[in-house]
Amino acid sequence: MTNKAAGTANGMDDPNHVIAFRRLKALVGLYATVSVLTFAGLVAYRDSSSVTQPVWVRISIVAVSSLILFALTLRAARGSRGAFRRLRILSAVMLVAIVVIVSLPGMFPVWMRIEQSVCGVLLLAVVAVSNGRGLRTRFAR
């Protein structure tokens, strides 16, 4: 079965769904890029006083989860109901974790709180798009 036939078979040829998943791929792709580049920056500046153990742990978790979220987005765009459900859950959980991280005074350096704020804005958009009525309805079938 060709990709076009697969898209038709699973209902993902609806123009609104295509647009929504194009947005999700761009948002999650940007989130993953920021997260992985931040991790690379940590490696480059590992001897800096602002690169503490909690920073390593948090940025590592964010980088790995961003790549998982991207893989889920690609699978959901191909029609996987389970991947779509996990995409919605993981993006919301990560958003809540970011809000907590950004709001904790003094626990993390300012540069990390700024980076996490950028990631939070991207994830807020992911949560909004993935929880839109059109996509939820499509995957409820």
Side-chain angles (χ1 to χ4, degrees):
M1 182 176 341
T2 66
N3 285 342
K4 179 142 178 82
T8 302
N10 66 23
M12 293 309 290
D13 59 344
D14 181 312
N16 293 325
H17 298 153
V18 171
I19 291 168
F21 274 110
R22 190 174 296 140
R23 286 182 184 140
L24 284 173
K25 287 180 206 175
L27 289 165
V28 175
L30 188 53
Y31 168 61
T33 300
V34 168
S35 300
V36 170
L37 287 175
T38 302
F39 182 80
L42 278 184
V43 172
Y45 291 99
R46 64 186 166 271
D47 295 327
S48 170
S49 63
S50 67
V51 181
T52 62
Q53 187 67 25
V55 170
W56 272 110
V57 170
R58 176 68 190 154
I59 295 299
S60 298
I61 290 169
V62 170
V64 169
S65 67
S66 71
L67 297 174
I68 292 169
L69 196 63
F70 190 70
L72 290 172
T73 303
L74 295 177
R75 287 187 55 220
R78 290 191 301 265
S80 170
R81 183 178 294 150
F84 180 69
R85 183 177 52 251
R86 288 186 289 277
L87 162 69
R88 290 178 58 215
I89 292 168
L90 183 59
S91 61
V93 167
M94 289 303 295
L95 177 59
V96 169
I98 285 172
V99 168
V100 169
I101 292 299
V102 169
S103 65
L104 289 175
M107 183 157 179
F108 293 101
V110 172
W111 66 263
M112 183 178 162
R113 293 167 59 151
I114 292 169
E115 181 269 347
Q116 289 289 280
S117 296
V118 170
C119 288
V121 169
L122 293 168
L123 281 178
L124 180 61
V126 169
V127 169
V129 172
S130 65
N131 284 289
R133 185 176 16 182
L135 286 182
R136 281 186 299 114
T137 302
R138 187 269 172 247
F139 283 100
R141 296 179 196 161

